[in-house]
Amino acid sequence: MSLLHQARFFTTVNHLRDLPPTAVPEVAFAGRSNAGKSSALNILCNQKRLAFSSKTPGRTQHINYFEIAHLEHLYGYLVDLPGYGYAEVGGGVKVHWQQLLGDYLVQRPQLRGLVLVMDSRRPFTDLDCELIDWFMPTGRPIHALLTKADKLTRQEATNVLRETQKRLSALPRTDGLPSDDPTIAPQFTAQLFSSLKRTGVDAAQRVLEDWLAIPAREKAKK
């Protein structure tokens, strides 16, 4: 059993000054509204109601923290960032929301990586690309979850994964490591994912466990 199953709600913040003053690793989840971010968090943590989707898409404007702890040891946090991309949100709220998201991604030193949630039927929207551009200068890795893969045929899923990997591999490395060394893991990766069919859950959990430095022996504990 993955220790991600131990996740529990920790806090909600609406300003950078209110972020937890801890030094443990954090992994952020970001994506366009209605891309399946809350469903992905819930299935990865094997919980039905850990993360909530607003009934009005685009209305969740806070940063939600979920802690991963076991036997009084805090491994880190999964951080649910505000969804983006809906015009219904008022102008002033949208500016605050975008600044909060952008500033967190760029300024948070504890951040180990970004899980970019994209609907596999509509990946790389303009806002997805803007988010990537924001985040790349940090030098941290990006793992793209291509959600709702159950909506695609097998051939469509194969094609979208191939095209996503191609686009990500074309991005220049910003972590200072050589881009032509095949023994070094890529900085930007992608996978197919379906919360409904549980496609890709184990693979995504391994990425999170590695980023949060959860020891292998802890991953296997019941």
Side-chain angles (χ1 to χ4, degrees):
M1 182 180 73
S2 172
L3 277 188
L4 296 173
H5 294 184
Q6 304 291 328
R8 61 182 181 181
F9 175 77
F10 178 68
T11 191
T12 295
V13 300
N14 196 31
H15 298 278
L16 290 182
R17 63 177 180 269
D18 298 326
L19 293 173
T22 55
V24 296
E26 298 175 6
V27 174
F29 280 69
R32 196 178 190 278
S33 297
N34 207 34
K37 180 162 56 70
S38 295
S39 296
L41 273 164
N42 287 335
I43 200 72
L44 288 169
C45 296
N46 197 37
Q47 299 185 42
K48 293 182 178 180
R49 303 282 288 175
L50 181 68
F52 291 86
S53 296
S54 173
K55 293 182 179 179
T56 303
R59 292 292 183 181
T60 304
Q61 301 153 18
H62 309 295
I63 294 177
N64 293 312
Y65 269 72
F66 305 101
E67 67 175 20
I68 309 297
H70 182 63
L71 299 177
E72 299 185 356
H73 180 82
L74 177 62
Y75 285 97
Y77 298 104
L78 301 181
V79 183
D80 186 11
L81 299 177
Y84 51 83
Y86 271 87
E88 288 87 344
V89 180
V93 170
K94 186 180 296 185
V95 169
H96 168 72
W97 179 3
Q98 292 174 337
Q99 184 175 359
L100 177 66
L101 187 151
D103 287 350
Y104 169 82
L105 290 175
V106 173
Q107 298 179 20
R108 189 66 168 167
Q110 297 92 325
L111 189 57
R112 294 295 182 268
L114 172 68
V115 177
L116 176 59
V117 181
M118 297 189 291
D119 189 325
S120 60
R121 299 165 296 177
R122 294 177 291 275
F124 294 107
T125 65
D126 289 345
L127 289 171
D128 293 328
C129 294
E130 183 178 342
L131 184 68
I132 292 172
D133 289 341
W134 271 346
F135 190 70
M136 279 183 58
T138 69
R140 300 184 182 105
I142 296 173
H143 186 66
L145 284 189
L146 296 168
T147 58
K148 307 183 184 183
D150 55 283
K151 306 292 185 181
L152 304 177
T153 66
R154 181 175 297 181
Q155 188 59 52
E156 288 171 338
T158 298
N159 290 342
V160 74
L161 178 59
R162 182 184 298 120
E163 286 302 311
T164 299
Q165 291 172 329
K166 182 179 179 180
R167 289 189 63 163
L168 292 176
S169 65
L171 297 173
R173 291 194 80 114
T174 57
D175 57 2
L177 298 177
S179 57
D180 57 353
D181 188 339
T183 65
I184 297 177
Q187 185 180 358
F188 311 114
T189 53
Q191 67 164 102
L192 295 167
F193 192 86
S194 169
S195 297
L196 182 64
K197 301 293 186 180
R198 297 186 65 89
T199 302
V201 170
D202 289 344
Q205 286 177 334
R206 287 193 293 271
V207 171
L208 299 178
E209 290 164 346
D210 287 342
W211 285 357
L212 293 174
I214 296 175
R217 64 180 182 276
E218 296 292 352
K219 298 175 193 176
K221 281 185 178 179
K222 299 290 185 178

